[in-house]
Amino acid sequence: MTGVWKRLPAARPGAVRRLGAFTAIAAAAVTLAPSTAADAVPARGNSGWSVLLCRFHDVAATPQTPTFFSRMFGSAGAGSGGLYDYWANQSYGKLQISASVHGWYTMPYTVSDEAPKSRWDKISDCVSTAAGAGYSVPTGNRIAVITNSQQDSGSAGGRVILDPGAWNIRFAAHEMGHGYGLDHSYSNDLTYQNASWSAPGEYDDMWDEMSAQHVYGFTTSSYGNGGVGFNAFHRDKLGFLPSNRIRTFGANGVGSATITLAPLQVASASGPLLVRVPFDPGDLFHYYTVEFQRKLGWSQGIPADTVLIHEVQNGRATLLRNLAAAGKPPVQHLAANGVTIDVNWTSGNAASVSITSDIVDRCLQGYVWRQARPSDHVCVLPSTRSQAWADNAAATSRWVDGAYGPHTCIQGYVWREAFTGDDVCTTPANRTLAAYDNTQATARRNPARFVYGPNTCTPGYVWRDADQSDYVCVAPSTRSQAAYDNSVKTSRWVSGAYGPHTCIQGYVWREAWPGDDVCVTPANRSLAAYDNSQAPTRVLRPSG
């Protein structure tokens, strides 16, 4: 979006709802911005991919066997460093790629026939060829098309196409990221342009897979370049970060703190994996993120352990580089928008950052400080502040020397008493309003309380919260039911045909995600499945 997204403030979710580079290889290999980027929702459980192998009519070669792609994409290659391992690692075990490989199919099109077509049409030609040969992609499966000759690689509409030059983890994981709704990542270095067709700064977060192939990659044993992991914002968007490992700075009313971060690569370490630092009351999707990355695992190619600061806006995370320093490294000190962030140190699985922010004293959108005196930060309507200033300007004209001293109010006026000692004379109605506004001071302050990140629910819905990673948006009554079912789960388990967590008569596993063995009524299991299916429609996105 180009403008500022605005919305009215809401109560905390417990009360009402949760607001909740690649180097250019050829112009033909441009990765299109995915049409599904705005529809990304938490990805969890078994994720079906249909991997379709298609030959051009004039190219008979099959450079790799179907078995190779079964191992590269699916659980057949678990432990071999393929995409199944990649996504399991990045999701902290929440996402399991379930890949079925089909082909090779021979399309009725030559390389030259396909060349001028859109990427979507190229993918559709392979899908149609597979259907004609007897395989129709199951509803809900994502699609990856593999072609047997160099021509085009990328994604379109959430579907992926890979030619032989892209049969590596770096490229494939990046395009699969588009399939899950992720956009490219960026830096604030507007002098960097990866290719003539890319935007300034695009593909310049070398610590994030959505900048592939301009990333700090490494060589795998079986599948070429291994790329890098995802940054914290993208992991958050896909629901990979448990809510108890995310800290929204200032949400607790504290505006200054030193925080010890855990690295994204070592979730077992103590501390938050992500800190959001809100600063924009007019756009609760506009904030900084702070994360710690270690040179380990899928991120073994990065130069060193480091803390990264991103600015999130318009659904996009932009890495903040120190543009004045040699090599433009990630900033380690930030002072902007009422926020100061300093990286103090990193040591092993810990990194210390100090953060200050004035967000806790800022008003929610639609309110302003009353400023009946400079230190008066009670949040009121703009018209109320204007009235306070008008009353201040007229103060001397409304004072007489009388029963209450030289500042006795003239007939029809009373002291405002917006604060102790406030003897500005105003109407009785405005004094009553000042007293009321004082009682509402806490409720109208601190927008950080309502910043829930990329999985914010649309009005009327809240996170189900059946566990710390359950970001599916449901009716408030459903969340209450899930909490109750969790609280009595042991009383509904018996040792039986399905092990020690077999459900007692009349109950079934909820199965809100694979492995969810909390026992609920059949109706509530059906509701969980339905809510999962509706997840894409209930996530609030920045408009524009």
Side-chain angles (χ1 to χ4, degrees):
M1 73 182 181
T2 56
V4 175
W5 180 90
K6 297 181 179 180
R7 62 181 170 82
L8 296 176
R12 281 195 64 78
V16 180
R17 63 183 172 95
R18 287 222 180 176
L19 295 177
F22 59 83
T23 304
I25 47 181
V30 175
T31 303
L32 299 179
S35 62
T36 56
D39 298 325
V41 293
R44 187 171 186 178
N46 295 321
S47 181
W49 282 82
S50 291
V51 182
L52 308 181
L53 315 182
C54 282
R55 294 184 291 198
F56 296 104
H57 190 68
D58 56 342
V59 180
T62 52
Q64 288 287 359
T65 66
T67 299
F68 170 84
F69 293 105
S70 292
R71 292 180 57 79
M72 179 179 173
F73 278 84
S75 58
S80 68
L83 291 160
Y84 181 91
D85 294 340
Y86 180 90
W87 287 99
N89 176 270
Q90 296 301 293
S91 68
Y92 306 108
K94 297 181 183 69
L95 189 67
Q96 298 82 43
I97 300 299
S98 178
S100 59
V101 177
H102 305 270
W104 293 87
Y105 303 112
T106 301
M107 296 187 293
Y109 309 104
T110 66
V111 174
S112 60
D113 290 336
E114 292 289 280
K117 294 182 181 181
S118 70
R119 183 167 292 156
W120 176 267
D121 287 341
K122 293 172 182 176
I123 294 170
S124 296
D125 285 345
C126 179
V127 173
S128 297
T129 300
Y135 177 76
S136 296
V137 175
T139 300
N141 265 25
R142 292 175 170 85
I143 295 170
V145 164
I146 307 295
T147 60
N148 70 330
S149 179
Q150 197 87 6
Q151 187 196 75
D152 190 13
S153 291
S155 65
R159 296 176 168 189
V160 173
I161 183 170
L162 303 173
D163 66 20
W167 296 349
N168 58 74
I169 302 302
R170 177 186 64 188
F171 207 113
H174 172 91
E175 302 305 339
M176 291 174 77
H178 285 318
Y180 288 114
L182 299 183
D183 198 356
H184 292 150
S185 46
Y186 292 72
S187 84
N188 62 332
D189 182 8
L190 300 185
T191 67
Y192 176 83
Q193 189 166 13
N194 182 261
S196 61
W197 39 262
S198 60
E202 188 174 11
Y203 298 105
D204 193 39
D205 184 351
M206 299 176 71
W207 292 259
D208 176 62
E209 180 63 18
M210 296 315 293
S211 276
Q213 298 175 19
H214 182 222
V215 295
Y216 291 117
F218 68 100
T219 302
T220 67
S221 60
S222 302
Y223 309 109
N225 192 294
V228 73
F230 289 109
N231 64 29
F233 173 74
H234 285 142
R235 297 186 195 220
D236 186 18
K237 188 171 184 177
L238 293 179
F240 295 163
L241 300 181
S243 58
N244 63 343
R245 303 299 300 277
I246 300 171
R247 176 168 175 175
T248 299
F249 190 81
N252 61 355
V254 177
S256 181
T258 296
I259 300 170
T260 301
L261 294 166
L264 291 174
Q265 291 75 19
V266 188
S268 60
S270 61
L273 296 167
L274 165 65
V275 179
R276 302 190 195 107
V277 188
F279 60 83
D280 187 350
D283 183 358
L284 300 188
F285 290 103
H286 189 194
Y287 50 87
Y288 298 118
T289 63
V290 188
E291 68 191 71
F292 177 36
Q293 292 213 21
R294 290 207 63 192
K295 184 179 170 65
L296 296 171
W298 292 98
S299 294
Q300 63 188 265
I302 69 176
D305 299 353
T306 187
V307 172
L308 303 177
I309 301 172
H310 292 79
E311 181 175 354
V312 175
Q313 188 175 25
N314 303 338
R316 172 186 297 169
T318 297
L319 173 68
L320 300 184
R321 291 182 176 272
N322 184 347
L323 302 179
K328 302 177 182 178
V331 299
Q332 302 293 281
H333 167 76
L334 173 70
N337 295 307
V339 171
T340 300
I341 303 173
D342 284 294
V343 179
N344 301 319
W345 49 260
T346 65
S347 178
N349 288 333
S352 171
V353 295
S354 295
I355 305 174
T356 62
S357 173
D358 66 4
I359 193 69
V360 300
D361 201 33
R362 301 281 294 278
C363 297
L364 300 180
Q365 182 71 9
Y367 294 95
V368 295
W369 289 335
R370 182 170 55 200
Q371 294 184 316
R373 63 180 177 181
S375 61
D376 179 14
H377 289 179
V378 171
C379 296
V380 299
L381 294 172
S383 60
T384 302
R385 180 168 70 179
S386 296
Q387 182 63 54
W389 290 355
D391 288 336
N392 287 358
T396 57
S397 68
R398 296 173 180 172
W399 284 331
V400 295
D401 193 359
Y404 298 99
H407 288 182
T408 297
C409 293
I410 62 175
Q411 185 68 26
Y413 289 87
V414 294
W415 287 337
R416 183 173 54 202
E417 296 182 338
F419 47 86
T420 301
D422 178 17
D423 56 7
V424 169
C425 297
T426 188
T427 65
N430 284 336
R431 178 169 69 178
T432 299
L433 178 60
Y436 174 75
D437 285 334
N438 287 352
T439 67
Q440 299 302 302
T442 300
R444 296 173 178 173
R445 186 182 292 124
N446 192 8
R449 294 180 295 128
F450 303 111
V451 173
Y452 297 106
N455 290 311
T456 298
C457 296
T458 55
Y461 292 96
V462 297
W463 290 334
R464 185 167 52 202
D465 277 344
D467 73 357
Q468 295 288 351
S469 298
D470 186 8
Y471 294 106
V472 171
C473 297
V474 300
S477 59
T478 302
R479 180 170 70 181
S480 298
Q481 182 65 51
Y484 175 74
D485 288 332
N486 286 357
S487 70
V488 297
K489 63 182 180 181
T490 57
S491 67
R492 296 174 178 173
W493 284 333
V494 294
S495 184
Y498 300 99
H501 289 182
T502 297
C503 294
I504 61 176
Q505 185 70 24
Y507 290 88
V508 294
W509 287 336
R510 182 171 54 202
E511 294 182 339
W513 59 86
D516 177 19
D517 57 6
V518 171
C519 297
V520 301
T521 64
N524 283 335
R525 177 167 71 180
S526 296
L527 179 60
Y530 175 75
D531 285 331
N532 289 353
S533 73
Q534 297 302 300
T537 69
R538 298 174 177 175
V539 178
L540 190 64
R541 298 298 181 204
S543 60

